[in-house]
Amino acid sequence: MSWTWEYAFGAEEAARTAPPAFLAEVERKAAELVRAAEALFVHGRAHGGEDPKGGDITVPGGMFAYQTVVRAERVYVVQITYLGF
């Protein structure tokens, strides 16, 4: 298995109605988070500690919240908020 990201919970539903340019920014930042997590947690599946704290990231047009689950080698986008700025 390799590191990747995906929408979780209600974020997937919200992504269906968000503008494509905003979603492109969310996806670009999520891909950056995946690369960072992959570099930081080289042995992700064998990780024995706690998962790192998630966070919020501002992108043009809004923001999104994410959570990294190391043993699953996933970055989950758990909420997106389109503000239109």
Side-chain angles (χ1 to χ4, degrees):
M1 186 191 275
S2 63
W3 279 89
T4 189
W5 72 272
E6 62 186 72
Y7 291 111
F9 311 119
E12 184 174 11
E13 184 67 32
R16 293 180 188 159
T17 60
F22 170 68
L23 289 178
E25 289 297 319
V26 169
E27 293 171 5
R28 185 178 67 78
K29 284 291 190 181
E32 287 180 22
L33 289 169
V34 166
R35 287 190 298 274
E38 189 172 28
L40 187 60
F41 301 104
V42 177
H43 304 291
R45 306 275 300 160
H47 181 70
E50 294 184 11
D51 289 325
K53 183 178 179 186
D56 299 325
I57 295 186
T58 303
V59 295
M63 61 172 282
F64 70 95
Y66 71 93
Q67 177 63 53
T68 303
V69 180
V70 179
R71 293 204 58 193
E73 295 184 346
R74 293 284 186 274
V75 173
Y76 291 101
V77 175
V78 296
Q79 179 182 2
I80 61 173
T81 304
Y82 177 67
L83 299 172
F85 63 84

